[in-house]
Every structure is written in C-alpha cells, then in structure tokens.
Amino acid sequence: MHIHELDTPALVVDLDVMERNLIRMAEYTRAHGLRLRPHTKTHKSPLLGARQLANGAAGLTVAKVTEAEVMLASGTEDLLIAFPIFGAEKMRRLVEVAKKTRVTVSVDSVEAARPIAEAAAAAGIPIGVLAEVDAGLHRVGVQPELFVSLLRGLAPLKGIELRGMAFYPGHIKNQDPGALAALSTLIQGLVAEAAAAGFALPVVSGGTTPTMWHSHEVAGMNEIRPGTYIFNDRNVVLSGACTLADCAATIIATVVSTSVPGQFVIDGGSKTFSSDRAIVDGFGLFLDAPDALFEKMNEEHGYVKHAGHQRKVGERVRVLPNHICVAVNLHERIYGVRGDQVVESWTVDGRGKLQ
Amino acid sequence: MHIHELDTPALVVDLDVMERNLIRMAEYTRAHGLRLRPHTKTHKSPLLGARQLANGAAGLTVAKVTEAEVMLASGTEDLLIAFPIFGAEKMRRLVEVAKKTRVTVSVDSVEAARPIAEAAAAAGIPIGVLAEVDAGLHRVGVQPELFVSLLRGLAPLKGIELRGMAFYPGHIKNQDPGALAALSTLIQGLVAEAAAAGFALPVVSGGTTPTMWHSHEVAGMNEIRPGTYIFNDRNVVLSGACTLADCAATIIATVVSTSVPGQFVIDGGSKTFSSDRAIVDGFGLFLDAPDALFEKMNEEHGYVKHAGHQRKVGERVRVLPNHICVAVNLHERIYGVRGDQVVESWTVDGRGKLQ
C-alpha cells in the first residue's frame, strides 16, 4: 500500500531509521559493557519489544503491571516494572506475571515493598526489587542520604530479593557535562556506601534517551533503560542526542480547513499528538514547512500558523511530534513504512494500560 | 463491589449526579424549544449515547467517521459529524454509516463538501451538510462575510442536502453577557442574510457546555451540541456553568511515593489525566485536599505539592480532572457508582477513534 492511501491521522514509522536506531544502541551498549533494558513505554508493542531483544536487549522495562502482562508476548525472560506499584489487585496480577518470567520492581519505600514481599512469599516465587534513589528529578526515589536506610528496611522482608539500585536522571535534558559528572559522583558514592554497609548491588540501573550516549561516563551504572531512542522525537532532537534524520516516527495529517486567514487546520489535535509541550514553541514540527507554527490544538483540530506556507484543503502534511511516547499511547495502530510503501502494521497492544 | 476494591487509577462516574445532569439539560432544552444533539466526545460510549437519547436528545454528535461507526450502537436515528472530514477512506465509511442512519456533516469549504457529495451521489443516499461559520473561535468555519458565498458554492453539488448552519462558540468560556449578545446578533444577521439570498436554514446548530444555560438567548439558534455537561469537569466549574456538586466523573488514584519532601506522588500522570491545563494552576483538583497543588506530571507519575495535606503510601485520593473528555479517551473502562458501590461499568468503545 502506498503511504498516500493511509487514512489520516496516521502514525507511521520509518523502519530503516528505527532499525538503525536499534543497531546503534546495541553497538554502543555492547562496546561499553552496559546491559540494555529498554523502556517499552515508547512503542507499547510486544512485537517491537521482541525486536529490541533481538538487538541486544537483555530484558525489557514497563511502568505498569498491565503493561507487564502485555509485554510477556515479546518473549522476554526479564521484566522490570520501573514504578512503585501498590494495591491488592496489582499484587495478584504481579504474581501471575512472575510465574511466567523473571520480574523485578523498583521501590522507594518499605511501605510499597512490603505487599510485594507478602504476595511473593505467599506464592512461593521470589520477586526482585531495585532500591530507587532520587538522582535529582525529585519525582520518586529516596533522598540519597536515606538510601542505606532503605536497603536496611528492605533486607528483612521475606519474598523479595534485593537485586540492585535504580534511578532515573530525567532532570538532565541537554547532556550537560556538569550534571553528568555530578550524577556519576552521586551514584559511585551510593554504591560504595551500600557496599560498606554490607549490601551488594549487582544491578545499577539508570539512563534516559537524552543522556544515552554518555551512559558509560556514569561510574558504577551497568544497566540503562532508554525508551524513546527506538523512534526519537522532537524533544530528543532538541536535547542534542539525535538529529532529525534519526526520527523514525511521524504523524501524517490532512489539512481540513483554511477558512481562518493566516492559518490552516489539520485533522489531529490533542487526541492525536497529546498536549505535551516542547522547550520551544509548538506542538510538533512540520517537516515540509519548518517555519509553520503548530500553535494551538483542541481534541480533533490542530491550528497551524502557516507563515506563508499555506496548504490547500485535502493536502497532507507530516508532523514530528514533541513527545512520541504519549502520541503512541493515543493510537490504535502503527504503520511501518519503507520509503513510501506501507510494508507492515501493528496494534499498540499496551496503549491505555493504566493499572 | 466497594469503590475501594477498584484497581487504580480508575475513572468513576457518580450515576446520581450524571442522571441529574441529563435530566436538567432535557428540561432546559424542552422548556426553550431547543433541539438537543449532545456531542458524545465526552463519554465515547454508545450506552451513554442511548441514555442521552432517552433523556430528550433528538440525535447525537461525533467528530470522526470511526466515532460515527461506534455510535450507531446507541440506536440513534440522527448523527452529526461536526468536523470537516476529508479523504477517500472516510468517504467510503461515511456512506456505510449513511446506509444505517441519517447523517449530516458540517463543512466550511466547497473543497471539503465536493467529495462528500460525490460519494453520496454515487451511493444514491443523500447526506446532509451544515454550513459552518466562524463565530469567533477562529478555528474552522468560513468568515461571516463569506457565509452566503459558501451557501452558493454548496447549492449546485448533487448528493448533499443543505440542512442548515453550524457554529461553535468555544471562545466564550465564562458566559460573558457581552460576548453572548454579540454572538446572538451575528447568528441572527447570518440567518437573515441567508434567507434574503434564498437559503432556508432549518437547523441552526451551536452551543457549548460553558454557555449551555444561555442557549435560549442566542436568536435563531434552534439546536445545541453540548458535550461535557453529562459529567462536567474542573474547567466547567471554573466557567461558572456548574458547581463541584454537578461533577460526576472523578479519577481515583493511589499515593505511591512520599520520598521527596513537601510532595506526594500518585499513580497517574499525563497518560491518565492528559496534560490539558486549566485557567488556574494544576492538572486537577484534589477533592479531599483542595489546597494541594497537582503541580507536574510525567506519563505515569502525578506530582502533588501537599501544602500540609501529606498522604501516606497506599492512601487513595480522588481527583477532579481539568478536562474530562480527553481523560475519558485515555481510559479503557468507566465505573458507574452509587454512593460507595460500583454498580456497573462500561468500555469506552469510542476511545482512540482518530480517523
């Protein structure tokens, strides 16, 4: 099928670019002795999880128990739930997942770890935990000075195995060398402090897409969990970690109205792109009209100030989203293209898995 | 099932409040001789569309052809697609929908109307159109001075029936009497101008939830298409069109981390609430801690500055979303509650219908 036959809005992935991204990351992590456990939140598809495993990933990462259930179909033998899950129904489902593959959960409190331990002990299946530290994003993770206290609190819990530490340096958006050096010092210090207290941390798991090519500079980190690198997006380009040529996923939309002077309107808004912003203006980049400003959106309408690049009703435009992970979550299906031919498509099986 | 047994995050609808909202709107539109054609984008469920029809709605509104397909299950005998659809696949599916129920599409250009007319003529099934005017939102709709020109352009097209006019006064967010009076003058003038040019406009369709109780003040308007009124949300409260007691839909979340001082983190972020903002700070209102500020979100994490209302890991909180329509689109299922009992649940069949 030719790409022009796709109904719009359509999320298309350039398979050549995606494969190049997968290979590049496999080579980088192999060269630096890093374990690769990609976060599957970007694609939400077991088919792509399987391709990551075929390209050097040692396991996969998810954020939710329901995503773990979906991602079992990738055939992964190692799943990390990088979120402090809590609740009886989640514990029941977690145990079911743990019966099928090796599972680890990141935790930042004894309160969150205890029900996991109880569920694991009751089922007789050990579940791993990574002790999470706040490396500067100030989201989850114990404060660094409380890290060893967390390890001490986790130690007596039967049913769980302490497999290492986790952190997410999402505050480093532009590969700032100072911030990377500070992160390296922090992590190295915590690993040493834990060792001195008698805690071995076989896994030291961190990493983001913006910092991906600097992962080997973080002393002690031996596993990374980048997500967006498989597709990349406008935010990754703006972070300096990739170029436009490395962006595999775009959204094709149709111009449906030119009635308001200075503007055209496309058939996709926040329901198609999400309302996530970038550090620069606009809800996405028009690849064939980079001066056009994707200024506003409602659910179904995207407002574009055309800046002289007027388009006609019925014309198609191609947009690079600010944040591809949230855009993928809005789509039922992704189309894989080579050149201008649609050669495959797959459902986003993990979309909307909130629990 | 008790509400506390629901896994989180969960979207719950208080059925008593929802039913009161439906009845109030039915009474208002009946009292003022207005035709009610609710926009189903808020609930995306044929089951709730059917309840709107049972509560005085004469038809339903959707924004996409795929939503029209889903909404056929409501049993509606009249569907408006309030979006200028374009594309061969959409025309094929539109004709299939038109074989099953009466369909009207709003259009703001001859370019968008022509393929609809051609598809309708080829199938031998007339499809209705409403000529759309820009009433001040500057999104779609011809500029008012070109309204009669649009009518003249549509007239020769075989296959479509001009059934009236459409507009969407989404720029009036706070029931401003001056803006409402200006809208009334504009619409009345356009209807008179069309009549003078020989065009009868049986349907004059407009309306929004923020302006809902002032609909009868807009001269000439005989049909309204509110959507959010069925549930209401924080934005509607802020518009002054309803109170907190009229908000039927809330999201139950669990506190999963308190590791960062001054803050708690809940198990829902932009993937659960959407990143839509309100005219005031925060991504939602904490009903049991209104001073807490829902300050930031990532996909799965909601960051709340607790302002003294600290919560413990595992506690549940109830959040009123800023914009319920986009939140519903992110959920697979909605739970209907009476008091603290979950008495029914339904799938969001229309979620993610982008084409």
Side-chain angles (χ1 to χ4, degrees), chain A residues 7-9 41 64 67 90 108 139 141 257 259 271 275-276 298-300 303 329 332 353 355, chain B residues 7-9 41 64 67 90 108 139 141 257 259 271 275-276 298-300 303 329 332 353 355:
Chain A
D7 198 6
T8 66
K41 74 195 186 88
K64 298 277 166 161
E67 289 180 343
K90 286 187 179 66
D108 71 354
R139 184 169 74 178
S257 174
S259 287
K271 212 177 89 177
S275 9
D276 272 20
N298 299 134
E299 285 144 83
E300 308 288 4
Y303 301 54
N329 185 53
E332 287 186 294
K353 296 296 174 196
Q355 287 84 26
Chain B
D7 198 6
T8 66
K41 74 193 184 90
K64 297 277 166 162
E67 288 180 344
K90 287 187 179 65
D108 71 354
R139 184 170 73 178
S257 175
S259 287
K271 212 176 89 178
S275 10
D276 273 19
N298 300 133
E299 285 144 82
E300 309 288 4
Y303 302 55
N329 185 53
E332 288 186 293
K353 296 296 173 196
Q355 287 83 25

Side-chain angles (χ1 to χ4, degrees), chain B residues 187-209:
Chain B
I187 299 306
Q188 196 171 22
L190 289 171
V191 172
E193 216 189 311
F199 296 100
L201 300 171
V203 173
V204 178
S205 176
T208 69
T209 293

Side-chain angles (χ1 to χ4, degrees), chain B residues 137-154:
Chain B
L137 181 61
H138 308 319
R139 184 170 73 178
V140 299
V142 287
Q143 298 310 291
E145 61 274 20
L146 297 174
F147 183 62
V148 170
S149 298
L150 175 62
L151 299 178
R152 289 210 174 97
L154 297 175

Side-chain angles (χ1 to χ4, degrees), chain A residues 13-82:
Chain A
V13 166
D14 187 309
L15 297 171
D16 295 337
V17 177
M18 180 186 88
E19 287 161 6
R20 201 172 64 214
N21 292 341
L22 290 175
I23 290 167
R24 195 178 288 167
M25 182 57 76
E27 288 173 350
Y28 170 77
T29 48
R30 196 164 42 237
H32 292 285
L34 290 163
R35 197 164 176 276
L36 175 63
R37 181 141 65 174
H39 205 307
T40 59
K41 74 195 186 88
T42 306
H43 55 71
K44 298 185 194 308
S45 159
L47 283 173
L48 293 193
R51 291 200 208 181
Q52 290 175 311
L53 292 166
N55 278 281
L60 299 174
T61 305
V62 297
K64 298 277 166 161
V65 180
T66 47
E67 289 180 343
E69 291 170 349
V70 167
M71 215 43 75
L72 284 172
S74 70
T76 186
E77 293 172 1
D78 192 329
L79 262 177
L80 171 67
I81 302 177

Side-chain angles (χ1 to χ4, degrees), chain B residues 32-314:
Chain B
H32 292 284
L34 290 163
R35 198 164 175 275
L36 174 63
R37 182 141 63 173
H39 205 307
T40 58
K41 74 193 184 90
T42 307
H43 55 70
K44 298 185 194 302
S45 160
L47 283 173
L48 293 193
R51 290 201 209 179
Q52 289 174 311
L53 293 166
N55 277 280
L60 298 175
T61 304
V62 297
K64 297 277 166 162
V65 180
T66 47
E67 288 180 344
E69 291 170 348
V70 167
M71 215 43 74
L72 284 172
S74 69
T76 185
E77 292 172 2
D78 193 327
L79 262 178
L80 171 66
I81 302 177
F83 193 87
I85 53 174
F86 195 96
E89 174 65 8
K90 287 187 179 65
M91 294 306 120
R92 191 188 67 71
R93 298 172 90 148
L94 175 66
V95 165
E96 292 306 307
V97 171
K99 286 179 185 167
K100 297 183 182 118
T101 197
R102 175 184 164 92
V103 172
T104 308
V105 183
S106 61
V107 294
D108 71 354
S109 71
V110 175
E111 290 71 27
R114 190 172 290 120
I116 299 173
E118 288 168 0
I125 298 169
I127 291 177
V129 295
L130 300 182
E132 181 142 12
V133 72
D134 177 6
L137 181 61
H138 308 319
R139 184 170 73 178
V140 299
V142 287
Q143 298 310 291
E145 61 274 20
L146 297 174
F147 183 62
V148 170
S149 298
L150 175 62
L151 299 178
R152 289 210 174 97
L154 297 175
L157 300 178
K158 306 261 180 271
I160 55 173
E161 291 175 2
L162 176 65
R163 292 182 183 157
M165 78 181 283
F167 58 98
Y168 177 68
H171 59 297
I172 309 178
K173 298 204 184 296
N174 286 301
Q175 311 169 69
D176 171 36
L180 279 158
L183 177 68
S184 185
T185 304
L186 174 73
I187 299 306
Q188 196 171 22
L190 289 171
V191 172
E193 216 189 311
F199 296 100
L201 300 171
V203 173
V204 178
S205 176
T208 69
T209 293
T211 61
M212 57 189 167
W213 310 122
H214 296 277
S215 301
H216 61 286
E217 297 169 20
V218 181
M221 180 165 74
N222 57 23
E223 173 179 288
I224 61 170
R225 310 184 308 270
T228 318
Y229 81 98
I230 183 171
F231 295 153
N232 293 310
D233 60 20
R234 190 169 176 229
N235 280 330
V236 179
V237 173
L238 291 168
S239 82
C242 79
T243 67
L244 282 179
D246 302 320
C247 292
T250 52
I251 290 171
I252 300 176
T254 300
V255 174
V256 292
S257 175
T258 59
S259 287
V260 175
Q263 170 181 295
F264 62 84
V265 171
I266 60 173
D267 61 351
S270 65
K271 212 176 89 178
T272 298
F273 293 93
S274 95
S275 10
D276 273 19
R277 288 155 197 260
I279 54 167
V280 296
D281 277 348
F283 289 104
L285 180 71
F286 282 78
L287 292 173
D288 59 348
D291 297 342
L293 174 62
F294 194 164
E295 191 194 22
K296 235 166 69 171
M297 41 170 62
N298 300 133
E299 285 144 82
E300 309 288 4
H301 302 79
Y303 302 55
V304 188
K305 288 260 169 276
H306 61 60
H309 301 275
Q310 178 61 305
R311 294 290 179 271
K312 289 202 175 76
V313 168

